[in-house]
Amino acid sequence: MPGGVGEVSTALSALLRVDALTVSFDGFRAVDQLSLHIAPCELRVIIGPNGAGKTTLLDMICGKTRPSSGKVWFEGQDLTQLSEHEIVRAGVGRKFQTPSVYEDLTVFENFEISMPRGQGVLQSIFFRRSRAVIDEIEAVADTVFLCDHLEQKAGRLSHGQKQWLEIGMLLMQAPRLLLLDEPVAGMSPRERELTAELLNRIAQGKAVIVIEHDMDFVKRIARKVTVLHQGRLLSEGTVTEVQDDQRVIDVYLGH
């Protein structure tokens, strides 16, 4: 029954709950009364035409943009009341479209500098490269296919490898929710295959939200797809369900 026990149960068990989220820029509603729920260890893909509000949604979840109205609940905490740094500490990691790594540092140093070091100056000053730190970095490097590149300068990596490095830098912070904006843009076909494998593996232990335009890639990773159009929820379901939805064909897939 619509709005019944099942829907209420899903909302209560959600890791992330977006409730009637709205944001306007100079009178234009980029996101309009949008609601969705993300379960723990769910891999959700968000698609839609340019201007649908996809990136703006991620901006509001991570605190980069403040909503005009509505709430973002993460593990029962209202993220709209927190700063960007507080949201990161709460367990939300965000990767933007363009990889942002320290190109003059080695891959190892990029991972190392991403590790949480407490919130005080003393914790940072007395941070030491212990065996446990090295083991953790090597484990993450192996996860993101960079274990053979730890001593290489990040600036010498391929574009796809830089994308993996940034994902690994986020993993060093042990987030419970990852937000990824077009993670395979500019990658080779083989890198896309490996990234699909990577995201499916990551989602076994944390929730992942991916914005993507490449429908072949979406088919490889999507368990549930959310389609946005003009800032609103247009359709939601499996890849097959949204591909067969005439509304989605009319405003997005058909073009």
Side-chain angles (χ1 to χ4, degrees), residues 180-211:
L180 306 178
D181 200 342
E182 297 190 38
V184 296
M187 284 189 177
S188 69
R190 178 57 179 159
E191 288 173 335
R192 290 174 186 233
E193 289 178 14
L194 290 172
T195 302
E197 175 188 320
L198 170 62
L199 297 187
N200 279 305
R201 190 162 64 244
I202 289 173
Q204 294 175 18
K206 57 185 87 270
V208 183
I209 299 177
V210 179
I211 290 176

Side-chain angles (χ1 to χ4, degrees), residues 111 137-148 150 198 201:
F111 286 136
I137 289 173
E138 289 178 346
V140 169
D142 186 57
T143 297
V144 298
F145 316 116
L146 293 176
C147 58
D148 294 331
L150 283 171
L198 170 62
R201 190 162 64 244

Side-chain angles (χ1 to χ4, degrees), residues 60-158:
M60 287 190 286
I61 293 172
C62 75
K64 186 172 183 287
T65 297
R66 294 295 175 187
S68 306
S69 62
K71 295 289 185 181
V72 179
W73 298 97
F74 177 70
E75 296 185 325
Q77 193 170 17
D78 181 7
L79 297 187
T80 62
Q81 301 300 311
L82 303 181
S83 68
E84 290 185 64
H85 293 301
E86 288 171 331
I87 291 171
V88 170
R89 286 199 293 269
V92 179
R94 167 79 182 275
K95 184 194 176 311
F96 294 86
Q97 291 179 2
T98 304
S100 176
V101 301
Y102 300 99
E103 298 205 348
D104 290 333
L105 299 181
T106 66
V107 169
F108 186 100
E109 290 166 338
N110 270 270
F111 286 136
E112 186 176 37
I113 205 170
S114 302
M115 297 187 76
R117 306 186 182 195
Q119 299 178 25
V121 174
L122 287 178
Q123 288 94 328
S124 295
I125 291 174
F126 291 105
F127 179 83
R128 290 291 181 268
R129 187 182 286 185
S130 65
R131 184 68 247 177
V133 166
I134 295 171
D135 288 345
E136 185 175 351
I137 289 173
E138 289 178 346
V140 169
D142 186 57
T143 297
V144 298
F145 316 116
L146 293 176
C147 58
D148 294 331
H149 301 274
L150 283 171
E151 298 309 315
Q152 185 175 332
K153 289 288 183 71
R156 298 178 62 85
L157 297 175
S158 71

Side-chain angles (χ1 to χ4, degrees), residues 22 41 53-54 58 91 93 108 123 145 155-156 172 195 205 232 244:
T22 299
C41 300
K54 305 182 298 297
L58 297 196
F108 186 100
Q123 288 94 328
F145 316 116
R156 298 178 62 85
M172 295 301 303
T195 302
R232 289 178 171 267
D244 291 342

Side-chain angles (χ1 to χ4, degrees), residues 216-255:
D216 288 334
F217 181 74
V218 170
K219 292 173 187 175
R220 290 181 180 179
I221 66 169
R223 303 171 192 177
K224 189 173 185 179
V225 179
T226 295
V227 187
L228 301 186
H229 178 53
Q230 296 180 346
R232 289 178 171 267
L233 178 65
L234 179 69
S235 182
E236 199 166 75
T238 65
V239 174
T240 301
E241 287 170 342
V242 299
Q243 282 186 315
D244 291 342
D245 189 327
Q246 189 60 47
R247 297 169 301 171
V248 179
I249 296 170
D250 290 342
V251 306
Y252 184 50
L253 297 180
H255 299 276

